[in-house]
Amino acid sequence: TIVFTDYKAGSQYTVSDVIFVPSWKGKEYKATSVSTTVENGVATVTLEFPHITQFSNPKVILRINGKKRTFKVCQ
């Protein structure tokens, strides 16, 4: 599970096409659940993925309001 907050979300915030990339080996995992709440312009997003036991320098690739984004994940 990964949770992040966007303090400049505005009133509309759509998250889609969420993929977890656990390492440089290229294996990708689609999110099993994506939950987004927006309150007073602040979005809180919860992403759930299959259980993964080993990873190194993971990242998440997703679309926010249609724009592709890539984020490094803190371990």
Side-chain angles (χ1 to χ4, degrees), residues 23-43:
S23 70
W24 53 269
K25 294 180 183 179
K27 181 78 173 165
E28 297 179 348
Y29 298 88
K30 289 185 178 183
T32 56
S33 175
V34 178
S35 174
T36 306
T37 59
V38 180
E39 188 173 323
N40 298 322
V42 177

Side-chain angles (χ1 to χ4, degrees), residues 44-59:
T44 301
V45 180
T46 303
L47 309 172
E48 293 186 18
F49 299 91
H51 182 74
I52 301 167
T53 57
Q54 293 182 329
F55 48 86
S56 177
N57 300 316
K59 63 183 175 181

Side-chain angles (χ1 to χ4, degrees):
T1 301
I2 297 170
V3 179
F4 70 90
T5 303
D6 187 341
Y7 293 97
K8 298 180 182 179
S11 60
Q12 176 121 358
Y13 203 83
T14 304
V15 177
S16 61
D17 303 327
V18 182
I19 297 173
F20 180 76
V21 183
S23 70
W24 53 269
K25 294 180 183 179
K27 181 78 173 165
E28 297 179 348
Y29 298 88
K30 289 185 178 183
T32 56
S33 175
V34 178
S35 174
T36 306
T37 59
V38 180
E39 188 173 323
N40 298 322
V42 177
T44 301
V45 180
T46 303
L47 309 172
E48 293 186 18
F49 299 91
H51 182 74
I52 301 167
T53 57
Q54 293 182 329
F55 48 86
S56 177
N57 300 316
K59 63 183 175 181
V60 172
I61 302 168
L62 49 76
R63 292 188 181 277
I64 298 174
N65 295 335
K67 186 174 181 181
K68 188 174 180 179
R69 305 287 184 134
T70 301
F71 298 98
K72 291 182 180 180
V73 178
C74 298
Q75 298 179 10

